[in-house]
Amino acid sequence: MTTPLNVVILAAGKGTRMKSDLPKVLHPLAGQPLLAHVLAAADALAPEKICVVYGHGGDILPNAIGRDDLAWALQEPQLGTGHAVQQALPYLNPDALCLILYGDVPLTRLETLQEMVMIAREGAVALLTVRLPNPAGYGRIVRDAAGRVDRIVEHKDASAEELAIDEVNTGILCLPAGRLAGWLSRLTNDNAQGEYYLTDVIGMASAEGQRVIPCHPGAAWEVLGVNSRAQLAELERLHQRNQAERLMAEGVTLIDPARVDVRGGLRCGRDVLIDVNCVFEGDVVLGDGVRVGANCVIRNAEIDAGAELKPFCHVDGARVGAGAIVGPYARLRPGTELAEQVHIGNFVELKNARVGFNSKINHLSYVGDAEVGRKVNIGAGTITCNYDGANKHRTVIEDEVFIGSDTQLVAPVTVGRGATLGAGTTLTRDAPAGQLTLSRAKQLTVPGWARPTKKQ
Ligand code: UD1
Ligand code: MG
């Protein structure tokens, strides 16, 4: 049987430099809290347990994450990284491997973590290190004459010679939980910061002849942490660039890979084209050949093959059928379902509305809580009056109806198949199928009427 894996995520730090009331690890990267990214990486390793060490901000953190499958270890006060891991120990399986992650280091690739777990499974302590041109502030990796990792010295405790070392500790390590407990119990805070350093465990391990094997991330950004809003913005850009690379590798055309933001899961078919400044949130699926014009915001939506969103569309909780054309400046709100080849034009808002095959709502309309049939034409400025101030009511527009411009449909109301509504109609009763219905004051011309003139 393989040794189970436990993951400890350190997230008790204060995050002073964020200057925020929100705990640092709840600040969003790509629309998700930093901690959620770390949790996703941990989940992907299929661990037996995940324990998050929290402290600053109190219960805000567990409440915001809202998962009952996690163990939450409170660290109060925060006396250092070693002290933090001590708080997690009661929640860990002593026979497991323990992987330690930081809640504010969100971009570590799964492959990197998998490699560390593999090394620890073979009986070594796996330590993630990286060489940095400017290692200031980090713990330095001190190696012995044979080049083996000997210990870690924190920047503030380092000699001039040690400060010259450019290999640094990322903080991420993987080791047997049982041995960790013994080492942690021997930590002292006799150092420049008066803290219990987790890093001292490495010196103890190698002193006992335990092999410490350094691993390296494929890219330096994998181990970058967030301490300030500037660093958060920097990581956001890195992450967005990575996602853009992935999309292009999968065959998506991005007019400018630096001007697309994916905050969630975006799945694309073949030959999708995305113009500049589009934002994708939640789960979005774009079918083969979909074209998304500039400046669209699309969240939790499915756009079927060959559909086109022209610039400046806002789509939320909607489905757009194959070959449909939407926008520019259209708003599709939750519950909107457009069938194939529907046309939705500028300044049209739809909510909780189903629109059938090849129907057209091309200009300045609001259609809410409605069922629109096939091959319907809805003229400019048509409004479904779905709300009476207390309740919402449905409008049904059957197949092949033609609705003249500037019509109000006072719901609940039904327009029968093939009916025509004259322009300017206020429809308060059902319109029969196949006939012209209109409500309009009779046109009148006043003979001999003269315009008033200005008094002298
Ligand atoms: C730590 C490492 C250092 C490494 C650096 C990488 C130690 C002693 N030093 O230094 O070798 O180069 O990270 O970024 O481990 N935390 C707690 N409780 C605490 C203190 C910290 O949960 O009492 C958490 C923080 O929220 C953070 C992580 O641990 O996620 C690291 O803490 P931080 O204060 O940033 O450690 P550094 O001094 O930067
Ligand atoms: Mg730090």
Side-chain angles (χ1 to χ4, degrees):
M1 208 189 83
T2 52
T3 322
L5 176 69
N6 290 185
V7 178
V8 175
I9 301 175
L10 302 188
K14 194 152 184 251
T16 315
R17 280 185 280 160
M18 296 299 281
K19 300 201 173 115
S20 174
D21 292 334
L22 191 67
K24 175 166 74 177
V25 295
L26 286 183
H27 280 261
L29 179 104
Q32 289 286 318
L34 289 170
L35 182 57
H37 290 270
V38 182
L39 285 168
D43 286 334
L45 294 165
E48 177 194 43
K49 280 182 192 171
I50 300 176
C51 177
V52 184
V53 182
Y54 74 111
H56 194 75
D59 285 340
I60 298 175
L61 194 53
N63 290 342
I65 297 297
R67 277 177 56 165
D68 52 17
D69 61 330
L70 305 177
W72 293 89
L74 181 64
Q75 186 199 20
E76 187 58 66
Q78 288 108 45
L79 303 177
T81 49
H83 178 254
V85 177
Q86 265 168 355
Q87 311 314 303
L89 278 180
Y91 300 92
L92 303 183
N93 174 354
D95 298 322
L97 289 176
C98 176
L99 173 68
I100 296 167
L101 304 175
Y102 286 0
D104 54 6
V105 178
L107 300 184
T108 318
R109 274 194 293 218
L110 185 60
E111 296 88 316
T112 304
L113 299 177
Q114 278 166 336
E115 188 197 332
M116 295 185 70
V117 173
M118 217 172 68
I119 288 171
R121 283 228 154 89
E122 287 161 7
V125 170
L127 180 69
L128 193 63
T129 76
V130 68
R131 299 198 113 88
L132 294 180
N134 175 15
Y138 289 90
R140 307 299 208 280
I141 307 297
V142 181
R143 292 181 180 243
D144 65 15
R148 286 184 294 252
V149 174
D150 185 45
R151 62 196 167 86
I152 298 174
V153 59
E154 289 305 298
H155 182 101
K156 287 187 178 147
D157 299 287
S159 65
E161 201 182 325
E162 288 162 341
L163 286 177
I165 298 171
D166 68 350
E167 185 183 9
V168 307
N169 172 34
T170 65
I172 297 177
L173 71 161
C174 189
L175 69 185
R179 306 211 56 191
L180 176 65
W183 293 325
L184 288 176
S185 69
R186 285 160 44 206
L187 289 183
T188 68
N189 65 353
D190 183 15
N191 52 51
Q193 300 183 81
E195 287 183 4
Y196 295 90
Y197 291 163
L198 176 61
T199 45
D200 286 349
V201 156
I202 297 299
M204 294 177 185
S206 56
E208 289 178 15
Q210 166 75 56
R211 278 186 311 142
V212 177
I213 307 244
C215 306
H216 311 293
W221 50 256
E222 287 189 54
V223 296
L224 293 177
V226 173
N227 295 298
S228 63
R229 299 203 194 228
Q231 286 172 343
L232 179 61
E234 196 184 319
L235 260 62
E236 177 77 36
R237 283 304 101 212
L238 270 162
H239 180 60
Q240 293 302 342
R241 181 74 207 192
N242 291 342
Q243 296 195 105
E245 301 283 351
R246 170 183 67 81
L247 288 168
M248 291 189 293
E250 288 171 6
V252 175
T253 296
L254 299 174
I255 298 297
D256 182 354
R259 283 185 290 167
V260 60
D261 283 79
V262 180
R263 302 174 189 155
L266 172 60
R267 281 176 292 152
C268 296
R270 290 180 78 80
D271 294 310
V272 165
L273 183 145
I274 300 172
D275 207 337
V276 300
N277 294 331
C278 292
V279 178
F280 298 89
E281 297 178 335
D283 286 318
V284 176
V285 180
L286 305 180
D288 292 347
V290 163
R291 300 170 71 88
V292 181
N295 302 296
C296 288
V297 176
I298 304 176
R299 78 193 288 252
N300 297 325
E302 196 174 325
I303 317 294
D304 291 344
E308 179 177 4
L309 301 184
K310 292 182 182 277
F312 295 99
C313 287
H314 191 279
V315 177
D316 180 8
R319 178 170 182 160
V320 174
I325 300 174
V326 177
Y329 298 100
R331 180 173 184 204
L332 307 185
R333 292 170 54 197
T336 297
E337 279 184 42
L338 309 183
E340 291 181 22
Q341 292 176 48
V342 163
H343 293 187
I344 301 297
N346 40 249
F347 306 105
V348 172
E349 174 180 347
L350 284 98
K351 185 214 69 169
N352 193 22
R354 290 224 302 255
V355 182
F357 171 78
N358 202 214
S359 289
K360 300 186 170 95
I361 313 174
N362 271 332
H363 326 270
L364 299 152
S365 290
Y366 171 63
V367 176
D369 299 309
E371 188 80 40
V372 178
R374 299 161 63 87
K375 294 186 172 290
V376 168
N377 193 313
I378 295 187
T382 296
I383 308 286
T384 53
C385 308
N386 58 329
Y387 185 52
D388 60 14
N391 296 299
K392 302 275 171 68
H393 303 280
R394 285 194 78 74
T395 299
V396 177
I397 300 169
E398 295 180 352
D399 296 348
E400 290 169 36
V401 161
F402 182 97
I403 297 187
S405 297
D406 194 25
T407 292
Q408 302 100 54
L409 300 126
V410 183
V413 74
T414 295
V415 183
R417 187 190 167 99
T420 300
L421 300 188
T425 293
T426 300
L427 193 74
T428 52
R429 281 173 287 134
D430 291 354
Q435 296 183 53
L436 171 66
T437 299
L438 74 166
S439 77
R440 191 185 286 169
K442 273 232 156 53
Q443 186 166 317
L444 170 89
T445 302
V446 180
W449 179 84
R451 256 189 225 174
T453 54
K454 217 171 179 92
K455 282 185 186 148
Q456 290 309 313

